[in-house]
Amino acid sequence: MLQGRSLIGPDDFSVAELDRLFELTACIKDDAGYLRQSCRGKLLAALFFEPSTRTRLSFEAAMLRLGGGVCGFAEPGSSSASKGESLADTIRVVSSYSDVIVMRNPKEGSALLASRYSSVPVINAGDGGHHHPTQTLTDLVTIKHLRGDFSRLTIGFCGDLKFGRTVHSLASALSRYVNVKMVFISPGELKIPEYITQTVLGKNNIEYTETDRLEKVISDLDVLYMTRVQRERFLNEEEYIRLKDSYILTAKLMKRARDKLIVLHPLPRVNEISVEVDNDPRAAYFKQAEYGMYIRMALLASIMGVV
Ligand code: CP
């Protein structure tokens, strides 16, 4: 169903296609031998023009676990981009060496551009402040596995909702499910962009509220999605320093939350979740990172057409 397809934005796959990916992810998670060696002879090119730990290494681990190979670079200084080569030329060449390309690039729209010049599928691993669809797959599968489904879900997004591409992608993806409510918790300077609230949520009649007070709304939430303030996207360092500790989730604040709350975070974390919360059974962010590898295995196997 997904054979030969690129993944650029959070809505590229239908809800039915996502359900199939979630089922496949469960099989991979539960059976260490499932799909092993299924991608033998396939090569993943991982082109990271921006830093990454989870996305790059989970993609590489996923392809290696499927029996395939990996090549690529972890920072643009070691590629010919540093000599002025265009993204289009880089992609034309790399797609002649590989079977699938995973790319992270600071420019919004770069993944779409890459897909137009590539002869193999392109997976967007983050394009600036725009989208990060495989983080969204990770977030969705984690909620699905821990909660069962998405119905009557109230999710709070907290932190840097302006630059946080994972928030933009997850809000878009969840707006396709019924009876989902969203609460956007941010300082005024880091509010969710209007194109998300007015176009994406408005189009799907999604109920949402905005606030700057986490302590006022935490008890209403089924899922709390914490995010870091994205230092690398600020033009003004003083502004970053002023806003960086706007929210810190502490054990004291968790006392106000529901027993079944699920706390997610795409990671990396800086200061926004106190380490004392890590041992709370409601803290699911490290489990979430693990699910990220399983769902990337399911995605690669599907795009390679081996399932
Ligand atoms: N969540 C995420 O994208 O993490 P990395 O930046 O480490 O890949």
Side-chain angles (χ1 to χ4, degrees):
M1 204 156 47
L2 300 182
Q3 183 172 9
R5 302 251 302 266
S6 288
L7 175 60
I8 307 302
D11 301 336
D12 286 0
F13 297 163
S14 68
V15 168
E17 287 167 340
L18 291 181
D19 283 344
R20 171 76 187 121
L21 270 181
F22 299 154
E23 281 167 22
L24 209 49
T25 304
C27 295
I28 291 167
K29 181 179 176 297
D30 293 344
D31 176 358
Y34 190 66
L35 293 180
R36 295 299 161 96
Q37 304 306 319
S38 63
C39 285
R40 203 178 196 141
K42 303 289 186 193
L43 186 61
L44 164 76
L47 311 185
F48 278 73
F49 294 86
E50 275 195 328
S52 168
T53 295
R54 275 145 295 275
T55 312
R56 184 171 68 84
L57 294 181
S58 64
F59 262 116
E60 292 188 5
M63 192 48 134
L64 293 170
R65 283 169 179 253
L66 293 169
V70 294
C71 64
F73 51 83
E75 46 99 21
S78 63
S79 80
S80 286
S82 63
K83 300 178 208 162
E85 185 172 46
S86 70
L87 181 62
D89 284 1
T90 302
I91 294 295
R92 272 187 215 263
V93 172
V94 174
S95 68
S96 72
Y97 300 157
S98 58
D99 299 291
V100 56
I101 293 175
V102 174
M103 184 183 80
R104 173 171 290 183
N105 190 290
K107 292 202 180 109
E108 281 88 1
S110 54
L112 182 62
L113 184 143
S115 70
R116 293 194 172 140
Y117 286 92
S118 178
S119 55
V120 299
V122 172
I123 301 172
N124 181 7
D127 58 332
H130 195 209
H131 281 304
H132 190 351
T134 66
Q135 181 63 47
T136 304
L137 296 180
T138 301
D139 302 337
L140 291 174
V141 82
T142 306
I143 296 170
K144 172 105 177 151
H145 282 222
L146 296 181
R147 192 174 179 271
D149 62 24
F150 305 105
S151 65
R152 295 180 302 284
L153 175 81
T154 300
I155 179 166
F157 295 94
C158 180
D160 182 350
L161 310 187
K162 178 181 177 184
F163 296 116
R165 59 193 172 197
T166 61
V167 171
H168 306 162
S169 292
L170 183 56
S172 297
L174 281 172
S175 71
R176 298 192 296 176
Y177 295 90
V178 291
N179 291 328
V180 172
K181 288 187 197 161
M182 302 188 192
V183 183
F184 297 108
I185 308 143
S186 72
E189 296 87 340
L190 299 176
K191 280 175 69 162
I192 188 92
E194 283 189 359
Y195 85 88
I196 299 285
T197 51
Q198 298 196 353
T199 310
V200 180
L201 305 187
K203 188 179 73 184
N204 294 299
N205 292 319
I206 295 292
E207 191 180 325
Y208 72 91
T209 53
E210 294 183 83
T211 178
D212 59 1
R213 304 282 296 277
L214 175 59
E215 69 279 11
K216 290 269 187 209
V217 294
I218 193 167
S219 61
D220 301 332
L221 306 176
D222 301 306
V223 174
L224 172 59
Y225 194 92
M226 295 295 294
T227 62
R228 81 186 160 93
V229 176
Q230 307 252 320
R231 180 180 203 158
E232 64 275 29
R233 314 254 177 249
F234 277 75
L235 297 176
N236 180 336
E237 178 74 3
E238 280 172 19
E239 179 87 334
Y240 165 74
I241 290 168
R242 189 170 63 78
L243 294 170
K244 70 184 176 66
D245 292 328
S246 297
Y247 302 100
I248 300 178
L249 185 63
T250 58
K252 187 173 168 208
L253 201 46
M254 286 292 283
K255 286 194 180 130
R256 294 183 181 223
R258 294 179 179 172
D259 290 345
K260 290 196 167 170
L261 176 73
I262 299 168
V263 181
L264 300 181
H265 190 309
L267 304 178
R269 149 180 67 182
V270 184
N271 238 359
E272 58 281 353
I273 301 179
S274 168
V275 290
E276 69 195 10
V277 177
D278 294 355
N279 292 327
D280 188 308
R282 296 169 289 182
Y285 28 93
F286 292 117
K287 205 175 285 178
Q288 180 186 3
E290 183 185 342
Y291 276 118
M293 181 183 69
Y294 299 131
I295 199 154
R296 288 178 175 111
M297 288 175 75
L299 176 67
L300 288 173
S302 301
I303 288 177
M304 292 293 96
V306 299
V307 281

